[in-house]
Amino acid sequence: GRAGALPEIYTFGHRNPQGLARHPFNGSIWTGEHGPQGGDELNILRPGANYGWPVITYGEEYGGGKIGEGTHKKGMEQPLVYYTPAIGMGGIDFYTGNRYPGWQPSLLVSGLRLTRINRLELDGDGLGRETRLLGDLKMRIRDVQVGPDGLVYALADRSRLIRLDPK
């Protein structure tokens, strides 16, 4: 819907997307983006939307210093959630199963820097309360996925595959 835009470009203004997942109820596509020093983002992709990078960001240069023009600008989308300090966002996935009581539905977000999984409860099309998982392992969590058995699996440093026990 933008004059002169290439038809294969759906959205723009992203910085280092690491996770991509389809919302289980409304079909929207969510992305987790690894920001600079701070400013990791969760976004819901909308056709033709500009997510602002590098003009707006909640992060800063490594070692300090401003990036772009601030955090808001007309015509640029705000993230659904941003993390400052950065969690080092990796993979994301939605959980809708019944293996973990009280988790239905949730968004799971892996963290490389803060070495954990963030479980965010879904509240309609938005997000509610956040719970932190596996932080005591002190391992960088690169990805999190729901397996065909309904269990949650995480891929951590040193090629470790972790299955979360529902008990």
Side-chain angles (χ1 to χ4, degrees):
R2 290 180 181 259
L6 298 173
E8 60 269 22
I9 298 175
Y10 189 73
T11 64
F12 61 105
H14 299 281
R15 183 193 187 275
N16 200 4
Q18 295 287 311
L20 194 67
R22 186 173 183 260
H23 191 285
F25 304 123
N26 66 22
S28 61
I29 304 298
W30 292 34
T31 185
E33 298 183 31
H34 196 104
Q37 185 169 291
D40 288 0
E41 297 181 1
L42 282 171
N43 289 299
I44 300 173
L45 302 185
R46 293 181 175 84
N50 179 352
Y51 291 85
W53 179 260
V55 178
I56 62 171
T57 180
Y58 286 88
E60 62 180 25
E61 293 285 359
Y62 291 99
K66 184 179 174 182
I67 298 173
E69 300 175 15
T71 58
H72 294 74
K73 189 169 184 177
K74 186 176 180 181
M76 295 183 183
E77 302 292 319
Q78 283 295 300
L80 184 62
V81 173
Y82 67 90
Y83 290 97
T84 300
I87 64 172
M89 194 172 297
I92 65 175
D93 203 5
F94 287 96
Y95 182 79
T96 59
N98 60 7
R99 301 292 298 266
Y100 306 88
W103 283 29
Q104 308 81 3
S106 297
L107 176 68
L108 304 170
V109 178
S110 63
L112 293 159
R113 181 173 178 268
L114 295 185
T115 62
R116 65 181 183 231
I117 294 172
N118 288 6
R119 182 180 69 81
L120 298 128
E121 295 175 10
L122 294 181
D123 181 14
D125 288 337
L127 296 172
R129 189 179 63 156
E130 179 178 276
T131 305
R132 297 172 178 175
L133 309 165
L134 300 183
D136 57 329
L137 297 179
K138 307 271 190 261
M139 285 189 252
R140 293 165 51 97
I141 308 295
R142 297 201 167 273
D143 198 9
V144 60
Q145 294 288 304
V146 179
D149 57 2
L151 296 175
V152 173
Y153 294 86
L155 185 60
D157 277 353
R158 297 180 297 278
S159 302
R160 290 195 170 106
L161 180 62
I162 301 165
R163 183 182 69 208
L164 277 68
D165 187 340
K167 297 173 187 159

